[in-house]
Amino acid sequence: MDAPTKRVEIIPAKRRALILEHLRVNGAASIQELADAIGGSQSTIRRDLEHLMEGGYLERTHGGALLVPPLQASFERESLINAHLQRAQKAAIGAEAALRIANRESVIFEASSTVMEAVRATALRELSLTVVTNSLEIAQVSSDVPSWRVIMPGGTIRPGGWRSLWGEPGESFFDTVHADVCVIGAYAVTGNILTDATLEVASLKRRMIKASRRTIVVVDSSKFSAPSFSTFCELSAIDELITDDGIKPEQLEALQSYGAKVTVVPVKAEAPR
């Protein structure tokens, strides 16, 4: 007799990200469908749906859930959930961005889950770099690379588990920096503008871009949406935008109509859990 299959427990943030991804693909699903697809019990899935509904991610339906685009311009995903969304896309984008970084350059890595993937890929290239980052997580990963000098700008740690710094003295610090390249994310790309959900983060991003000779924006294809709360730059301020092949043809055409250099990377399907 075959041994019973042991269920692997998934951490809540990853499970909730899997729910959102399932709803993104299918639009709506019942609790039973989500339990079968993700592997949790119905009671666990029900609690996850309540959490996601309270967070503004979705609407509950009779016996299930429906994914809806957030209507609030200042809506922000939870940092732990965000880290598990679009994982394959972010990894492919990050690997491509890493190829843009040369030996002995100074690089600003902004606090972003997609930028984190660029950091991981860059670390494999055995380059000597000066790294500036406002991300505690990126700083920790970067500090494990012996040939990297890591600098943090200072500031206040953002609440809500974001593990990043914003405000002073970090903003003034970037007024004194002249970096070779900035790798930065965006909460939304809409037409000609790039936006973030908070004034504070948008302000810091503007300083980072101004402090760099060239700027690379890394965003997965889900970020081409309605604008978030605060604009931090226009496409003319960046040198290249890297995204994945989930971008719609009309979205790509719109970006190119503004004269933006856009690189689209193919994404390999993730292995089954």
Side-chain angles (χ1 to χ4, degrees):
M1 181 181 295
D2 293 337
T5 302
K6 184 179 180 180
R7 174 175 287 174
V8 178
E9 185 64 27
I10 303 174
I11 62 173
K14 182 174 182 180
R15 193 174 59 242
R16 290 162 186 167
L18 290 171
I19 290 172
L20 292 174
E21 180 61 17
H22 186 89
L23 293 174
R24 184 186 69 81
V25 173
N26 298 282
S30 68
I31 291 175
Q32 184 60 59
E33 288 171 353
L34 291 169
D36 292 341
I38 293 163
S41 67
Q42 288 194 38
S43 59
T44 298
I45 296 299
R46 190 175 289 107
R47 287 193 297 270
D48 288 334
L49 293 179
E50 292 297 334
H51 180 91
L52 291 169
M53 183 186 69
E54 291 173 3
Y57 292 88
L58 50 79
E59 291 181 355
R60 286 295 306 275
T61 62
H62 180 68
L66 173 69
L67 187 67
V68 294
L71 299 178
Q72 301 90 352
S74 56
F75 171 85
E76 278 192 289
R77 299 186 183 97
E78 293 178 37
S79 60
L80 292 177
I81 292 177
N82 187 61
H84 291 285
L85 292 171
Q86 307 287 98
R87 288 293 295 271
Q89 289 84 351
K90 291 174 180 177
I93 293 165
E96 184 70 22
L99 300 177
R100 306 296 190 270
I101 298 171
N103 194 39
R104 301 189 180 281
E105 284 193 315
S106 53
V107 186
I108 297 173
F109 286 124
E110 181 257 336
S112 155
S113 56
T114 309
V115 174
M116 170 57 85
E117 295 301 328
V119 172
R120 292 191 174 109
T122 305
L124 300 175
R125 299 190 57 216
E126 299 183 353
L127 304 175
S128 294
L129 299 176
T130 295
V131 170
V132 183
T133 183
N134 67 317
S135 165
L136 300 175
E137 188 176 8
I138 288 175
Q140 184 173 19
V141 170
S142 300
S143 67
D144 289 332
V145 183
S147 59
W148 289 10
R149 178 190 181 205
V150 183
I151 301 169
M152 298 200 74
T156 302
I157 297 177
R158 289 190 68 201
W162 285 97
R163 301 176 188 170
S164 62
L165 302 170
W166 58 275
E168 295 293 356
E171 289 201 8
S172 296
F173 168 82
F174 282 107
D175 291 338
T176 70
V177 169
H178 306 279
D180 293 301
V181 59
C182 174
V183 184
I184 196 168
Y187 203 87
V189 180
T190 314
N192 191 36
I193 63 170
L194 288 77
T195 56
D196 200 274
T198 72
L199 291 169
E200 297 85 0
V201 173
S203 177
L204 189 62
K205 288 183 177 185
R206 282 193 289 271
R207 302 287 186 103
M208 290 176 169
I209 292 170
K210 187 177 179 180
S212 307
R213 292 187 178 90
R214 67 185 195 278
T215 297
I216 300 168
V217 172
V218 290
V219 286
D220 68 73
S221 54
S222 70
K223 299 297 181 69
F224 298 101
S225 60
S228 198
F229 187 68
S230 181
T231 297
F232 63 86
C233 78
E234 295 185 351
L235 287 172
S236 59
I238 71 171
D239 296 273
E240 182 178 11
L241 185 148
I242 303 176
T243 190
D244 63 81
D245 55 7
I247 186 173
K248 296 177 181 178
E250 60 269 25
Q251 293 169 337
L252 178 59
E253 184 178 348
L255 291 172
Q256 293 171 335
S257 72
Y258 288 108
K261 179 182 179 181
V262 183
T263 299
V264 179
V265 297
V267 179
K268 294 180 181 178
E270 289 186 299
R273 292 185 295 109

